[in-house]
Amino acid sequence: MPITPEDLARQNIDQLLTAAGWMIQDRGAANITAGRGVAIREFPMKKGHGEADYLLFVDGVAAGVIEAKREGETLTGVEIQTQKYSEGVPDQLPCPRRPLPFLYQSTGVETRFTSLLDPDARSRQVFA
């Protein structure tokens, strides 16, 4: 099966997450308490909310999402998609705040971040 541009973005995102100390897991073998920061790939959200490319857990509780896009795609256009994921966390997951507060959009080269804790929540470019 050929590697898609989004697959390449995910490979770069995996490297960035690992370098930042996150443990990356596939959803079939997920252990949200395996480390301080756990990123689970292709996580199914509530019905009607799709599948997050990564659901981020900090100390065993859901805290944020990452949406991966191919390099060159305009990331400000996918803020709505990450917002939808943040609102669709399955009820059975530990989650102290709904919607999730931390939203990322990334191509693996460019990354944008939105904190819903900010009174003027908007995406901002970050270095990784």
Side-chain angles (χ1 to χ4, degrees):
M1 182 156 60
I3 294 177
T4 68
E6 197 166 284
D7 291 334
L8 290 174
R10 286 189 188 115
Q11 288 175 3
N12 289 338
I13 292 167
D14 283 359
Q15 290 174 355
L16 292 168
L17 285 168
T18 300
W22 289 83
M23 295 180 71
I24 302 168
Q25 301 177 352
D26 293 320
R27 69 180 179 204
N31 176 358
I32 62 174
T33 60
R36 181 98 205 251
V38 175
I40 300 177
R41 291 185 190 103
E42 299 175 336
F43 199 96
M45 308 309 274
K46 284 183 184 178
K47 185 175 180 169
H49 289 84
E51 183 178 276
D53 286 313
Y54 299 84
L55 184 58
L56 304 175
F57 290 84
V58 177
D59 293 333
V61 298
V65 295
I66 302 173
E67 175 59 21
K69 293 296 181 189
R70 65 179 172 77
E71 186 176 348
E73 188 154 338
T74 304
L75 293 176
T76 54
V78 292
E79 286 178 87
I80 293 169
Q81 190 173 0
T82 54
Q83 175 73 36
K84 182 177 178 180
Y85 297 150
S86 77
E87 295 167 354
V89 178
D91 293 331
Q92 71 274 18
L93 288 181
C95 181
R97 186 180 188 285
R98 294 171 194 265
L100 296 176
F102 306 121
L103 315 178
Y104 294 86
Q105 307 87 36
S106 183
T107 64
V109 174
E110 176 188 8
T111 301
R112 296 191 67 84
F113 168 71
T114 304
S115 172
L116 296 182
L117 301 176
D118 186 337
D120 182 25
R122 59 184 162 65
S123 79
R124 295 170 170 89
Q125 190 158 358
V126 294
F127 67 92

